[in-house]
Amino acid sequence: MTVEKPAVRRIVNDPALTASQKARYLSLEAENALAYPDLDSGTRAALDDRVICDMYEGHAPYKPRYVLPDYNVVLTRGSDWLELPVPRTLEEAIHTLMIAYHHVPSVTGMPVYIGQLDDLLLPFCDGVSDERLYQQIKLFWRYLDRVLPDAFMHANIGPSDNRVARAILRVDAELKQIAPNLTFFYDPEVSSDDILQMAAANIAECSKPHIANHPLHDAVFGDRGYGIVSCYNALPVCGGASTLTRVNLAKVAERSTDAADFLNNQLPYYVDLNFRLTEARVDYLFNQSGFMDSFLVTEGWLDETRFAAMFGIFAMAEAVNTLQDKAGAAGRYGHDADANALGHKISARLADLVDTRPMKNIWQGRAMLHSQAGLSTDEGYTPGVRIPYGTEPDPVSHIRALAAHHEYYSSGISEILTLDETVKANPAAIRDLCKGAFALGFREFTANVASNDLVRVTGYMIRLSDVEKFNAEAGSRTNTTALGAEAADVTSILDRKPRVVANELFAGAGQ
């Protein structure tokens, strides 16, 4: 007699899911029917209590969480495994990438990185008119959203001002798709003011792109380069991230008697347990899954030495406020100098604990600290080091409160500045705010404009109109709409406070 799992039957019978979405959820149920990698009792208990968290990646890590192929390999050498010749024209190059993407795994089942597209496509643009380039990019962009409908899929452009980057920005503002996510790399020594202004105007129009502080990232990753992927994660190109685990700082604070106990005893203890969890998952990936024998590695798309381990944290705001309460202090995180300073001290302590712990099978032998954007089920906890939604101060005060955190989180940190729709009349204000944030040490600048249908949840995009349809039980063709709908219901993302960017604040932002 067959014993059914109720969850499996619910997936199969769910009328709101497409066939491909059902297949994805069923595969997760199958993986989680396997035994978890071996953990000691202390680590297992902390995981069960969700003081530490495996991001529900699955019981058998048979693929890395994030994969960042060097797509230049397939464009310059072709692929024996995929029987792909070397492309010669723009159309052939785009077609080669479209095929390649279907063979790049990730935690989502779809690629989270589709390349530094201007660098990849510019060599194929000689003799191609601007209008033809625009049409090809528009067809490509529509294909990506319709065939790989997942808002964690991420493209990069910049830092140079070039024809492909401009075409992508033009198409992205026009189509207003949730996918792909997009980051522009900004370097004041390379990027023109014109293309930065174009990126700022796009943010006003469709809340994309992210803008990355390229010199800061470049200093971490060096000559072989990096990509911004998924939400806003910075990782080595030709590698990626084997896994992302995280510590719930709020729960650690609850277990602490005061700030000293938190910093000296409880935080090191749970950091150690999270490392044990990470090591178990990485060991399975490298030594049991067989992934490193795939054609992606043997053909040189990936280098097994370039996979990082992301050590995530979240709920900094709740942790600081809890410790403030235990000290009898009234100041709140994001608004009070002492509370903010405690948060910065926690980040510095985390960076020290992570930097001094060696790891096997990990890029440069150390994990990378990450300000993790949260899950759609994180009720009562604020993502990463962000300020709780609905309590945010004015944009410049917001930036100043959090800027000191950014030096520590080399694998990704992001704030979302929700701006009043009046900024549409003056997108230069977004540009100036971005420059000011970078001058204060921000690794990345991200903004939502309150009246846009396309908005960021934690780093990925949703359309509010899609969520409305989904909640009316009409389902969604995009995989991330369900996550966005849940986040809107559980984590108060729609409570973010739209703020007006006042002219007199611009100069102060850059000081």
Side-chain angles (χ1 to χ4, degrees):
M1 180 178 177
T2 301
V3 178
E4 288 194 356
K5 292 184 67 176
V8 171
R9 183 63 66 182
R10 283 196 299 271
I11 292 167
V12 170
N13 290 349
D14 191 336
L17 296 177
T18 67
S20 61
Q21 288 165 351
K22 289 179 181 181
R24 167 67 181 152
Y25 290 139
L26 289 170
S27 73
L28 291 174
E29 290 294 330
E31 181 183 350
N32 290 337
L34 299 171
Y36 204 92
D38 288 340
L39 299 174
D40 63 87
S41 60
T43 304
R44 181 77 255 180
L47 179 61
D48 290 342
D49 290 342
R50 292 290 152 179
V51 186
I52 63 175
C53 178
D54 59 4
M55 299 294 294
Y56 304 99
E57 287 180 358
H59 289 187
Y62 63 93
K63 60 188 183 304
R65 180 179 179 88
Y66 299 129
V67 175
L68 283 73
D70 181 353
Y71 291 110
N72 193 53
V73 170
V74 70
L75 291 181
T76 57
R77 304 179 198 168
S79 170
D80 291 339
W81 179 265
L82 297 179
E83 300 179 55
L84 288 174
V86 176
R88 303 297 180 189
T89 67
L90 177 63
E91 290 84 355
E92 289 177 354
I94 290 175
H95 191 253
T96 297
L97 290 175
M98 288 160 58
I99 294 170
Y101 296 152
H102 279 274
H103 301 274
V104 177
S106 79
V107 69
T108 68
M110 294 186 185
V112 295
Y113 179 67
I114 60 174
Q116 191 77 22
L117 289 179
D118 47 358
D119 286 351
L120 293 171
L121 296 179
L122 274 170
F124 300 92
C125 290
D126 290 347
V128 176
S129 69
D130 288 346
E131 184 59 26
R132 182 176 158 210
L133 175 60
Y134 161 74
Q135 291 295 340
Q136 288 296 317
I137 294 296
K138 186 173 181 179
L139 290 172
F140 181 38
W141 228 239
R142 186 176 289 134
Y143 165 88
L144 291 169
D145 181 75
R146 304 309 191 269
V147 179
L148 299 168
D150 190 288
F152 294 113
M153 177 175 58
H154 209 126
N156 298 166
I157 55 174
S160 69
D161 186 343
N162 63 78
R163 297 173 62 208
V164 173
R166 283 177 173 264
I168 286 172
L169 288 170
R170 177 184 172 189
V171 167
D172 205 42
E174 179 182 335
L175 296 182
K176 297 179 175 62
Q177 300 173 167
I178 63 111
N181 208 336
L182 182 65
T183 291
F184 172 69
F185 292 2
Y186 174 69
D187 184 339
E189 299 297 319
V190 178
S191 310
S192 70
D193 280 344
D194 283 349
I195 198 164
L196 179 61
Q197 181 58 46
M198 190 174 182
N202 268 40
I203 291 173
E205 187 69 22
C206 64
S207 302
K208 288 195 280 181
H210 293 285
I211 303 177
N213 190 336
H214 179 62
L216 284 186
H217 288 297
D218 192 49
V220 173
F221 294 95
D223 292 342
R224 296 190 69 180
Y226 70 99
I228 303 294
V229 310
S230 187
C231 277
Y232 50 83
N233 310 327
L235 294 167
V237 166
C238 203
S242 294
T243 189
L244 165 58
T245 57
R246 63 180 189 163
V247 176
N248 184 332
L249 296 180
K251 288 194 173 185
V252 178
E254 290 167 2
R255 289 160 168 76
S256 305
T257 56
D258 54 24
D261 183 43
F262 176 93
L263 292 166
N264 299 323
N265 300 310
Q266 302 304 324
L267 187 61
Y269 174 70
Y270 286 106
V271 163
D272 176 63
L273 296 186
N274 198 59
F275 266 114
R276 296 184 199 180
L277 172 65
T278 303
E279 288 164 344
R281 298 188 64 80
V282 171
D283 178 74
Y284 189 97
L285 174 69
F286 273 79
N287 298 315
Q288 298 186 58
S289 75
F291 176 83
M292 296 305 165
D293 297 321
S294 74
F295 82 95
L296 294 170
V297 177
T298 60
E299 288 192 356
W301 301 33
L302 298 172
D303 179 340
E304 64 182 285
T305 69
R306 288 183 61 79
F307 280 90
M310 300 173 71
F311 193 102
I313 59 90
F314 72 114
M316 176 69 80
E318 288 73 27
V320 168
N321 289 342
T322 294
L323 295 174
Q324 287 283 93
D325 289 342
K326 291 189 176 193
R332 298 294 90 178
Y333 181 80
H335 300 269
D336 175 78
D338 290 339
N340 293 342
L342 176 57
H344 303 154
K345 190 173 183 179
I346 291 170
S347 285
R349 179 66 168 139
L350 281 163
D352 180 64
L353 291 168
V354 171
D355 289 346
T356 55
R357 173 77 171 244
M359 295 190 73
K360 295 179 180 178
N361 298 317
I362 290 300
W363 180 62
Q364 298 189 337
R366 297 290 190 275
M368 301 183 74
L369 192 58
H370 180 69
S371 179
Q372 200 275 320
L375 295 171
S376 59
T377 54
D378 284 342
E379 185 172 9
Y381 300 117
T382 303
V385 301
R386 293 178 185 168
I387 297 170
Y389 301 146
T391 73
E392 304 95 331
D394 69 82
V396 173
S397 298
H398 191 150
I399 289 168
R400 285 177 167 152
L402 300 182
H405 288 290
H406 279 236
E407 66 174 292
Y408 303 111
Y409 296 90
S410 56
S411 67
I413 179 170
S414 174
E415 324 307 334
I416 297 177
L417 299 170
T418 300
L419 306 178
D420 186 81
E421 64 180 339
T422 53
V423 80
K424 286 177 174 284
N426 184 20
I430 299 175
R431 178 201 63 202
D432 292 344
L433 196 61
C434 174
K435 285 185 174 182
F438 286 174
L440 291 174
F442 261 46
R443 290 184 177 274
E444 182 175 277
F445 177 85
T446 302
N448 279 338
V449 176
S451 60
N452 288 344
D453 188 32
L454 195 65
V455 300
R456 293 196 180 277
V457 178
T458 53
Y460 68 92
M461 312 295 295
I462 58 170
R463 286 188 302 214
L464 297 178
S465 56
D466 289 342
V467 170
E468 184 177 355
K469 293 175 185 176
F470 180 86
N471 288 337
E473 300 184 350
S476 177
R477 66 171 182 83
T478 61
N479 293 351
T480 36
T481 300
L483 295 177
E486 184 173 44
D489 182 54
V490 173
T491 66
S492 305
I493 61 165
L494 301 184
D495 292 340
R496 292 171 180 148
K497 185 188 298 183
R499 275 101 17 107
V500 173
V501 182
N503 288 332
E504 62 270 17
L505 296 178
F506 297 162
Q511 292 175 355

